[in-house]
Amino acid sequence: MEKTSVVEGSRSPMQMKMGDELEGNTNTLRTAETFLRLLPVGLCVSALVLMLKNSQQNQYGSVDYTDLGAFKYLVHANGICAGYSLFSAVIAAMPRPSTMPRAWTFFLLDQVLTYIVLAAGAVSTEVLYLAENGNTATTWSSACGSFGRFCNKVTASIVITFVAVFCYVLLSLISSYKLFTKYDAPAACRPTAPIEVAAFPG
């Protein structure tokens, strides 16, 4: 206890102020990161449930999300996203110092999840576009005119998925910042002593 008091007493008011500001910024960043990791849990589960329950049957026939590989991929991607988001939110909320291995792990996994969910949303959007507009070159007529409720649920699931992608873009920026701030700036970027130029009489 006495040792702590001596150390704190040796710090100048400016150093103590900078330390308090740094700790406050760290806590704010941790809170924002935890929130951004929890938000995709609800989003991905919502998109997943919408698609899992998406099927329609009428006089034209029946259609289910399992009939198309892109929609099955969307379900799997959202499930992985929800599980990883919950796990990473728990880890990020723990008030422990960010080590280099931890920073690298978050950085790599955030990048991978971003591209997985983005690919799922992009592929599903392409399939939905074909279902909405058809393809005259292959004589594939529009299916959403006959299965409108099915297409509406697909649209909602895809929109929610892209909101989750936006959250992961922000998370990727945060994890990149937390990783690369641990490295020193290159020597060429560090401030150097001013170069004195000799003045010669005119």
Side-chain angles (χ1 to χ4, degrees):
M1 194 69 178
E2 293 179 357
K3 184 178 180 180
T4 305
S5 301
V6 171
V7 172
E8 290 181 352
S10 62
R11 296 171 62 191
S12 66
M14 180 63 70
Q15 289 176 326
M16 294 179 66
K17 182 179 179 181
M18 291 178 64
D20 292 341
E21 289 180 353
L22 181 61
E23 183 178 358
N25 292 337
T26 302
N27 292 335
T28 302
L29 185 62
R30 183 188 301 120
T31 302
E33 182 182 2
T34 303
F35 174 76
L36 280 174
R37 292 187 183 281
L38 284 174
L39 184 58
V41 176
L43 293 171
C44 293
V45 169
S46 299
L48 184 151
V49 171
L50 267 175
M51 193 63 80
L52 281 176
K53 294 185 175 181
N54 194 12
S55 62
Q56 186 177 356
Q57 186 173 4
N58 54 28
Q59 68 271 24
Y60 300 104
S62 63
V63 62
D64 190 86
Y65 85 95
T66 56
D67 296 333
L68 294 164
F71 296 159
K72 289 194 290 185
Y73 174 45
L74 187 72
V75 168
H76 294 154
N78 277 306
I80 295 170
C81 173
Y84 170 73
S85 298
L86 181 60
F87 176 76
S88 62
V90 173
I91 301 299
M94 295 179 179
R96 59 175 62 180
S98 178
T99 61
M100 188 68 75
R102 178 180 172 181
W104 266 110
T105 301
F106 271 122
F107 171 74
L108 293 175
L109 290 179
D110 287 349
Q111 296 290 325
V112 170
L113 260 293
T114 301
Y115 287 112
I116 287 176
V117 182
L118 177 61
V123 172
S124 298
T125 301
E126 182 179 1
V127 173
L128 178 63
Y129 175 83
L130 291 174
E132 287 276 4
N133 301 283
N135 189 338
T136 55
T138 57
T139 64
W140 186 5
S141 61
S142 173
C144 288
S146 304
F147 301 98
R149 180 166 56 85
F150 178 83
C151 290
N152 290 337
K153 286 188 176 182
V154 170
T155 302
S157 181
I158 292 174
V159 169
I160 295 172
T161 299
F162 276 113
V163 176
V165 170
F166 178 73
C167 291
Y168 263 94
V169 170
L170 296 179
L171 283 171
S172 296
L173 293 175
I174 291 176
S175 57
S176 300
Y177 169 79
K178 293 177 71 174
L179 172 63
F180 293 114
T181 50
K182 293 182 176 297
Y183 289 94
D184 294 330
C189 298
R190 295 174 185 170
T192 56
I195 300 175
E196 296 183 0
V197 180
F200 295 97

